[in-house]
Amino acid sequence: QVQLVESGGGLVQAGGSLRLSCAASGRTFSSSAMGWFRQAPGKEREFVAAIHWSSAYTYYADSVKGRFTISRDIAKNTVYLQMNSLKPEDTAVYYCAVRGTSGSVYSTEGYVYWGQGTQVTVSS
């Protein structure tokens, strides 16, 4: 079993920055990647970013490319999401997730463990 604990969410003004952290515990070594998804009210949960655990190869949604940076600290078993130049449309609950052995890195169906989510609110 894997447990994910997220932190770093909060309220920020447009143009500001936040850094989300997700600390994983449990059997995470078999996972190929960890990712961030977000869900705004009335919308589907959407892919934000992911990182291959071993190689640190990164994937980004077009909507956040150039503004967000995903990274990982192997020693701390933690993944981060640095969010810069935040926009009101970035407002959502952000979820950390662990990818399974199958499925697309871009799809929620490819992930098997999820954190509780952390609220990010960007005011205009």
Side-chain angles (χ1 to χ4, degrees):
Q1 298 296 317
V2 174
Q3 294 176 314
L4 303 175
V5 180
E6 298 144 326
S7 62
L11 175 65
V12 65
Q13 293 185 347
S17 299
L18 284 173
R19 189 178 79 156
L20 306 183
S21 299
C22 175
S25 61
R27 299 182 63 84
T28 61
F29 296 108
S30 62
S31 179
S32 64
M34 294 183 65
W36 289 96
F37 290 76
R38 66 187 183 186
Q39 187 168 23
K43 292 189 175 183
E44 296 290 320
R45 190 170 299 183
E46 67 175 355
F47 172 80
V48 176
I51 185 167
H52 191 277
W53 197 249
S54 297
S55 69
Y57 188 89
T58 56
Y59 309 78
Y60 295 98
D62 289 341
S63 60
V64 306
K65 193 172 298 182
R67 299 188 297 120
F68 292 9
T69 303
I70 189 170
S71 61
R72 56 96 169 95
D73 187 326
I74 295 178
K76 295 182 178 180
N77 215 26
T78 300
V79 64
Y80 305 94
L81 185 67
Q82 178 66 46
M83 304 185 294
N84 299 325
S85 301
L86 283 162
K87 306 174 181 179
E89 48 262 48
D90 294 318
T91 296
V93 177
Y94 283 70
Y95 297 90
C96 177
V98 176
R99 186 172 180 265
T101 58
S102 63
S104 172
V105 70
Y106 301 99
S107 174
T108 58
E109 295 180 353
Y111 295 77
V112 295
Y113 297 106
W114 296 83
Q116 294 298 117
T118 183
Q119 178 70 47
V120 172
T121 302
V122 184
S123 62
S124 60

